[in-house]
Amino acid sequence: MKEKLLKNRKLIDIFIIILVGFLIGIPLLSKSLDVYIDDGVQHIARAYGTLESIKKDGVFPNIISSFANNFGYINSVFNNRFPDILLAITNLVFKNPIASFKLLEVITLFISGITMYCLVKEISENRNIGILAAGIYMMLPYHLTEIYVRNAFSEHLALAILPITFLGLYSLKNNERKHYLFPISLALMFMCDRSLSWIVFGISIIYLLVNIKEIKNNKILSKVILSFAFILILTACIWLPYFETTIGEDYKINNVTNEEIQGFSRQTISIRKLFVTAQKENYVFEVGPLLIAMFALTPMAFVKLKNEYKKDYITYLIFCILGFICATSIFSINIFARIFIKLQFPWRILTLANFFLTIVCAINMGAIVGNLKLKDSLILLVVSMAYIICLSGHIQNTENLTDIKNIELGNISGKVDEISAGINKAEYLPTKAYYNKFYIATRIQEMCVLEGKALIENENKNKNGSEYSAKVKTFEEQTKFELPYIYYPGYVVKEDGITLESIETENGFLGFVLGANDDAKIEVTYQKTNLEQIANIISIISVIAFVIYAVGVNKEENSK
């Protein structure tokens, strides 16, 4: 019997992780769970809008034409496209945006446990410590806040990928075959949550510098260089369109005011919140008594660790402590506010602090107990689960959860601090349009003459807003027009089949200039720019090359 269990131990471990994840995910089964709170409504709305655009245009859109009062709002160039794609595909299969969102949250929770298990099992060389780490990671109060309170699916997805990034880093440093996991997972993280990914990118460089003696080996150094080269080309479909869109153009996302910086600085949390959560508070930032007790064992555990593990352990410990310091009022965030403001809130650094805390605490228990058994890990997880049940009062429910299609998606009414489903605060608008939202709210769905005189006839903007045509007669040498589209690169304006130069008007809309012409047909469509198409091809080719490389590495290692 024992031999059979040992043979199937990997399956047993995965079953335990999925069981723990299922128990934690039970509240997601409730129909009254309010998934629209915070980021939830944005994710579900963008995925729904993306799916509708795919159905109408047949391709994954950069612009969701129906958003921003049917003037079009950019999506994937600034935003995290991978979560939207996953949600859109799942919604296509299940025909239910809310159920699709919940399903992906549960699956992502399972994945986060499994990936953490793989990482800590590799570091500690102990499956039971891996099981403990997986359970702790899934049950972190802040992790559950991501799911049940903030509904931050993109960040939750990044947390599930994060352990694989560090498993790849660990293998890279030790010249093991799993090193290829580092570039592919970090590239995937960039598609999920760019702001967190930049911090992980920086931490990865620091980790490799700490282990500079190991990577000085020519074989390892070449793999490090190759890994970063892969990250660069794998993410070409992200950064090339981003730079093309922002260079030479002015968007709100690039213009941070002093008031916003000061507001960001005030969002650090008090140290008290790491230890206790008041009942009236929505977000749970606390670590929990079990992890505090495990962390307190650090000095004793460090003494018992093997020397070859101490360097990595200290590195994780320092990253953990620095993460908590940066998220709390201890840290003078004003100094680095312009760097970290893309995080939106300083306390988002807790995602990384808790990640490293999980590794440290699991290793602590393994070192203290000496020979940690499976039953020991399960007992600790039961105790941890009993505690998080006490925090379930922070989960918000509602009896009035409507279907996302019944909500006004991407609506702009003209209010300064308005938050709308699908576009949040509309921070990806051109700056001219952002500070003139009343114009968007009151503008008609027709082409306007800004300068000169012209007659516009037979206007036709199709139902989903992706195509437009009209007949135009101009009466002056230079006539300036404004089309019913917010300005983003990629729109193609044609006069009798000849492409015209597009401009951004003083209102942040798409415009063009015509000379004297008795009768011209104007047509507008949205196409991906040449650079974006090249970037997509680069990324696709690099993925194929990467798969060939990974398969080759595995074959080489197996032959050895």
Side-chain angles (χ1 to χ4, degrees):
M1 182 67 179
K2 189 175 180 180
E3 289 179 1
K4 286 184 178 180
L5 288 173
L6 288 172
K7 284 182 180 179
N8 297 304
R9 180 59 200 272
K10 186 181 288 186
L11 293 176
I12 292 170
D13 291 349
I14 293 173
F15 173 77
I16 291 171
I17 292 168
I18 292 175
L19 178 62
V20 172
F22 175 77
L23 293 173
I24 297 168
I26 285 176
L28 286 167
L29 299 175
S30 172
K31 290 183 179 179
S32 62
L33 179 68
D34 195 348
V35 294
Y36 287 156
I37 295 175
D38 221 314
D39 287 359
V41 71
Q42 306 301 334
H43 285 301
I44 296 171
R46 283 201 306 268
Y48 180 78
T50 297
L51 182 58
E52 290 301 299
S53 294
I54 290 172
K55 287 178 180 177
K56 291 167 183 173
D57 298 329
V59 294
F60 182 79
N62 281 350
I63 305 287
I64 298 181
S65 304
S66 59
F67 282 9
N69 299 18
N70 214 43
F71 294 122
Y73 187 75
I74 202 159
N75 181 37
S76 62
V77 171
F78 289 110
N79 230 323
N80 308 307
R81 64 174 64 187
F82 188 59
D84 290 346
I85 294 172
L86 282 181
L87 284 166
I89 292 172
T90 311
N91 190 13
L92 182 64
V93 174
F94 292 97
K95 313 295 183 184
N96 188 320
I98 294 173
S100 300
F101 182 77
K102 290 180 176 182
L103 176 64
L104 283 178
E105 285 281 31
V106 172
I107 293 172
T108 303
L109 185 63
F110 294 159
I111 293 172
S112 67
I114 292 169
T115 54
M116 179 57 85
Y117 165 78
C118 293
L119 171 62
V120 176
K121 179 176 73 72
E122 183 79 15
I123 294 171
S124 64
E125 299 178 341
N126 187 310
R127 292 179 181 274
N128 299 326
I129 297 175
I131 286 284
L132 178 61
I136 289 172
Y137 193 52
M138 289 190 291
M139 285 189 279
L140 283 169
Y142 181 77
H143 198 161
L144 298 181
T145 295
E146 295 281 285
I147 302 171
Y148 291 117
V149 183
R150 292 193 62 226
N151 293 296
F153 177 60
S154 60
E155 194 167 312
H156 184 203
L157 196 56
L159 281 173
I161 299 168
L162 184 58
I164 296 299
T165 301
F166 279 87
L167 176 58
L169 268 176
Y170 183 80
S171 300
L172 184 60
K173 183 256 298 184
N174 292 316
N175 198 24
E176 297 172 357
R177 65 177 174 179
K178 292 178 184 176
H179 68 273
Y180 57 79
L181 293 174
F182 168 58
I184 193 67
S185 61
L186 188 51
L188 198 55
M189 270 195 75
F190 269 107
M191 295 184 186
C192 295
D193 194 309
R194 297 181 196 180
S195 52
L196 275 179
S197 298
W198 278 116
I199 297 178
V200 174
F201 184 84
I203 290 173
S204 301
I205 293 174
I206 294 170
Y207 178 84
L208 292 171
L209 289 175
V210 167
N211 295 282
I212 192 69
K213 288 184 179 178
E214 286 83 352
I215 66 173
K216 275 185 177 178
N217 178 298
N218 287 335
K219 285 186 177 179
I220 301 178
L221 186 59
S222 63
K223 288 176 182 176
V224 169
I225 295 170
L226 191 61
S227 293
F228 281 100
F230 265 127
I231 292 169
L232 189 65
I233 58 176
L234 285 168
T235 57
C237 59
I238 298 175
W239 58 267
L240 275 176
Y242 177 85
F243 283 122
E244 181 187 26
T245 303
T246 55
I247 290 174
E249 304 297 342
D250 198 11
Y251 291 90
K252 176 61 183 72
I253 192 71
N254 298 323
N255 293 279
V256 181
T257 64
N258 289 328
E259 290 78 11
E260 288 171 326
I261 292 172
Q262 290 169 8
F264 175 78
S265 300
R266 289 192 294 269
Q267 289 288 337
T268 53
I269 61 172
S270 64
I271 298 172
R272 177 192 65 82
K273 290 185 179 181
L274 295 178
F275 296 92
V276 64
T277 305
Q279 191 61 40
K280 62 180 180 180
E281 292 172 348
N282 290 331
Y283 294 172
V284 180
F285 296 122
E286 67 181 86
V287 174
L290 184 63
L291 282 181
I292 291 171
M294 289 180 180
F295 188 74
L297 299 173
T298 296
M300 295 171 59
F302 182 74
V303 173
K304 294 188 175 185
L305 282 176
K306 294 179 182 178
N307 288 330
E308 59 263 35
Y309 300 139
K310 285 186 177 180
K311 191 174 183 180
D312 275 322
Y313 178 85
I314 292 171
T315 305
Y316 297 140
L317 180 62
I318 291 172
F319 285 150
C320 169
I321 294 170
L322 287 176
F324 281 112
I325 289 173
C326 289
T328 60
S329 51
I330 300 173
F331 185 57
S332 179
I333 200 75
N334 279 310
I335 301 172
F336 303 102
R338 287 193 178 273
I339 299 172
F340 288 113
I341 199 167
K342 297 294 184 184
L343 283 172
Q344 295 179 303
F345 309 103
W347 42 258
R348 286 188 69 203
I349 301 174
L350 286 176
T351 54
L352 300 174
N354 279 288
F355 166 75
F356 291 113
L357 178 68
T358 300
I359 299 172
V360 170
C361 288
I363 291 175
N364 281 357
M365 293 309 299
I368 294 296
V369 175
N371 184 21
L372 191 74
K373 299 288 197 308
L374 178 59
K375 65 177 182 180
D376 299 326
S377 295
L378 295 178
I379 290 169
L380 289 168
L381 293 182
V382 169
V383 172
S384 184
M385 190 171 292
Y387 177 72
I388 64 164
I389 289 173
C390 299
L391 299 172
S392 60
H394 294 275
I395 297 175
Q396 298 188 42
N397 294 281
T398 180
E399 298 300 327
N400 301 310
L401 196 63
T402 184
D403 195 301
I404 194 70
K405 64 183 71 173
N406 297 325
I407 297 174
E408 286 192 62
L409 302 182
N411 184 58
I412 294 176
S413 66
K415 296 177 182 177
V416 177
D417 296 321
E418 179 181 27
I419 296 177
S420 300
I423 63 174
N424 201 5
K425 294 182 180 179
E427 56 265 50
Y428 304 137
L429 284 175
T431 303
K432 294 173 184 176
Y434 182 86
Y435 290 110
N436 195 8
K437 290 181 183 176
F438 184 74
Y439 180 79
I440 299 174
T442 56
R443 193 193 190 284
I444 58 174
Q445 293 288 334
E446 295 176 3
M447 181 160 57
C448 301
V449 179
L450 298 182
E451 295 176 10
K453 292 181 181 180
L455 177 65
I456 303 170
E457 298 177 314
N458 301 328
E459 280 192 86
N460 179 32
K461 188 177 183 183
N462 66 349
K463 189 176 180 181
N464 60 310
S466 60
E467 294 179 359
Y468 172 91
S469 63
K471 287 280 188 179
V472 174
K473 284 186 178 182
T474 57
F475 303 100
E476 295 186 11
E477 288 300 318
Q478 294 289 321
T479 306
K480 185 177 179 182
F481 295 88
E482 182 181 87
L483 289 155
Y485 293 99
I486 291 171
Y487 179 81
Y488 294 109
Y491 282 108
V492 177
V493 182
K494 291 185 178 181
E495 175 198 1
D496 295 329
I498 300 172
T499 302
L500 299 174
E501 181 182 356
S502 300
I503 61 171
E504 181 184 357
T505 70
E506 53 268 33
N507 302 309
F509 274 67
L510 179 67
F512 65 97
V513 177
L514 272 185
N517 194 322
D518 290 335
D519 193 1
K521 184 179 180 181
I522 301 299
E523 294 175 301
V524 182
T525 56
Y526 181 85
Q527 301 174 8
K528 288 182 170 63
T529 65
N530 291 334
L531 183 61
E532 184 176 359
Q533 292 181 44
I534 292 169
N536 289 337
I537 292 170
I538 290 171
S539 291
I540 291 169
I541 293 173
S542 65
V543 168
I544 296 169
F546 186 84
V547 170
I548 294 171
Y549 170 75
V551 170
V553 168
N554 274 319
K555 281 186 177 180
E556 184 182 346
E557 291 294 328
N558 288 333
S559 65
K560 288 180 181 178

